[in-house]
């Protein structure tokens, strides 16, 4: 049996509910600064989340929802500039401390650290956004809790491609059988599963109706000793919150069935 050696976390929607009241607001502020009459509503943003990556999402919006828009000749650079402004607004929002970590995240990370299980991040978001979230919502020194932070444009293809998880596994120098991935979305699960990682899902408002085929366990949150999770699918072995013991149990069963 391969023992659990690392936990690999997605960021947006998994560590914190960042999309609706974080990224979406930051995009809208950047659009307003640029004099664009674009406003991404809560509902529209849910549709745009189909495309991962902020720059890719802006391009998708123009193509799909705004065909009258006359793009500048250097569209790629123009989008990159707009996206850089969005990142400034997003990190500013996080520095105001308005977005907390999701229930049970800090407890699980601390437990892993105590027990010598390594931590890593695999996300499509921009590296500066990860740092801002960890420092403001977790702990000032928490960037250092993670052996590897794989983020943004570091790999050629974003989720649902497996590239970011493959990159993190390579940097960790671990076999996927020794790791568990944590995701919140269908695109994320496709990515982690394509990298052969057993995957736990915590859903959120935007992703609760996604198809999580391939995930081992789908729950509404990690929960806490006094705040039970709801099991949506999979076997939680009578646990009421997600801890390292449950993580080890899930991985053991997955590896036994291979
Ligand atoms: C997160 C994303 C990101 C964020 C925005 O997906 O898709 O694009 O919404 O971040 P995941 P950037 O949780 O699967 O990693 O604007 O920095 O790209
Ligand atoms: Mg996510």
């Amino acid at each position: 049996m391969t023992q659990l050696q690392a936990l690999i976390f997605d960021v947006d929607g998994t560590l914190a509910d960042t999309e609706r009241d974080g990224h979406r607001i930051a995009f809208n502020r950047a659009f307003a600064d640029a004099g664009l009459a674009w406003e991404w509503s809560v509902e529209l943003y849910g549709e745009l989340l189909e495309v991962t990556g902020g720059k890719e999402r802006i391009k998708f919006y123009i193509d799909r929802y705004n065909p009258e828009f006359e793009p500048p000749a250097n569209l790629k650079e123009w989008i990159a500039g707009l996206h850089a402004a969005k990142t400034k607004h997003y990190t500013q929002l996080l520095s105001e401390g308005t977005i907390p970590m999701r229930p049970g995240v800090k407890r699980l990370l601390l437990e892993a650290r105590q027990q010598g299980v390594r931590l890593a991040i695999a996300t499509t978001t921009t590296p500066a956004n990860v740092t801002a979230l960890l420092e403001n919502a977790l702990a000032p020194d928490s960037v250092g809790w993670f052996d590897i932070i794989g983020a943004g444009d570091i790999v050629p293809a974003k989720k649902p491609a497996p590239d970011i998880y493959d990159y993190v596994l390579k940097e960790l120098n671990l076999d996927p059988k020794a790791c568990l991935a944590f995701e919140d979305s269908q695109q994320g699960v496709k990515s982690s599963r394509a990298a052969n990682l057993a995957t736990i899902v915590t859903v959120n408002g935007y992703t609760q109706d996604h198809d999580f085929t391939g995930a081992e366990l789908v729950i509404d949150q990690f929960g806490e000793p006094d705040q039970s999770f709801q099991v949506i699918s999979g076997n939680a072995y009578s646990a009421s919150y997600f801890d390292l013991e449950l993580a080890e149990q899930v991985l053991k069963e997955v590896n036994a069935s291979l």
Side-chain angles (χ1 to χ4, degrees):
M1 190 202 81
T2 315
Q3 204 192 333
L4 178 64
Q5 293 186 49
L7 308 180
I8 310 175
F9 291 87
D10 168 51
V11 173
D12 296 300
T14 301
L15 293 183
D17 245 324
T18 50
E19 294 291 6
R20 194 190 67 181
D21 300 328
H23 289 293
R24 186 183 67 88
I25 305 293
F27 279 112
N28 284 335
R29 287 185 181 167
F31 300 155
D33 288 352
L36 295 160
W38 299 352
E39 172 82 30
W40 288 358
S41 67
V42 170
E43 197 193 343
L44 170 62
Y45 194 66
E47 295 171 26
L48 297 173
L49 281 173
E50 184 190 322
V51 173
T52 63
K55 294 187 284 289
E56 295 81 355
R57 192 168 299 144
I58 293 170
K59 176 74 168 54
F60 175 71
Y61 171 71
I62 294 170
D63 294 344
R64 171 78 68 91
Y65 295 86
N66 216 337
E68 322 84 66
F69 178 67
E70 284 178 26
N74 53 354
L75 181 61
K76 210 170 165 202
E77 272 170 46
W78 181 80
I79 289 178
L82 192 58
H83 186 253
K86 177 259 166 178
T87 299
K88 279 207 177 123
H89 280 296
Y90 181 73
T91 53
Q92 171 64 33
L93 256 170
L94 288 175
S95 74
E96 291 160 15
T98 47
I99 301 201
M101 298 309 258
R102 293 191 64 187
V105 167
K106 188 168 187 177
R107 171 188 52 72
L108 179 61
L109 295 174
L110 290 174
E111 193 191 357
R113 270 166 65 72
Q114 263 169 11
Q115 299 201 21
V117 172
R118 299 165 73 192
L119 299 174
I121 278 176
T123 176
T124 66
T125 204
T126 305
N129 297 350
V130 182
T131 306
L133 179 72
L134 296 179
E135 289 181 350
N136 289 293
L138 187 56
D141 68 339
S142 58
V143 171
W145 298 7
F146 296 85
D147 281 8
I148 305 296
I149 296 184
D153 298 323
I154 198 165
V155 288
K158 293 187 175 167
K159 297 175 189 175
D163 301 30
I164 195 68
Y165 279 104
D166 287 339
Y167 168 83
V168 167
L169 284 167
K170 190 159 176 263
E171 293 292 313
L172 286 169
N173 196 22
L174 287 176
D175 189 285
K177 288 196 197 79
C179 308
L180 267 189
F182 296 87
E183 275 289 350
D184 71 303
S185 71
Q186 181 177 7
Q187 295 90 331
V189 171
K190 281 189 178 167
S191 171
S192 60
R193 291 297 300 132
N196 294 315
L197 283 155
T199 305
I200 309 296
V201 174
T202 51
V203 302
N204 59 61
Y206 274 133
T207 67
Q208 59 196 1
D209 297 324
H210 283 194
D211 177 355
F212 294 116
T213 301
E216 292 309 319
L217 177 64
V218 181
I219 48 184
D220 67 332
Q221 56 172 305
F222 290 128
E224 295 284 12
D226 62 353
Q227 184 180 335
S228 174
F229 58 35
Q230 306 272 331
V231 177
I232 296 161
S233 66
N235 192 345
Y237 302 96
S238 307
S240 65
Y241 62 97
F242 195 93
D243 63 359
L244 222 53
E245 191 185 337
L246 178 53
E248 274 159 3
Q249 177 101 41
V250 170
L251 192 69
K252 193 175 112 191
E253 296 297 327
V254 170
N255 288 338
S257 70
L258 290 178

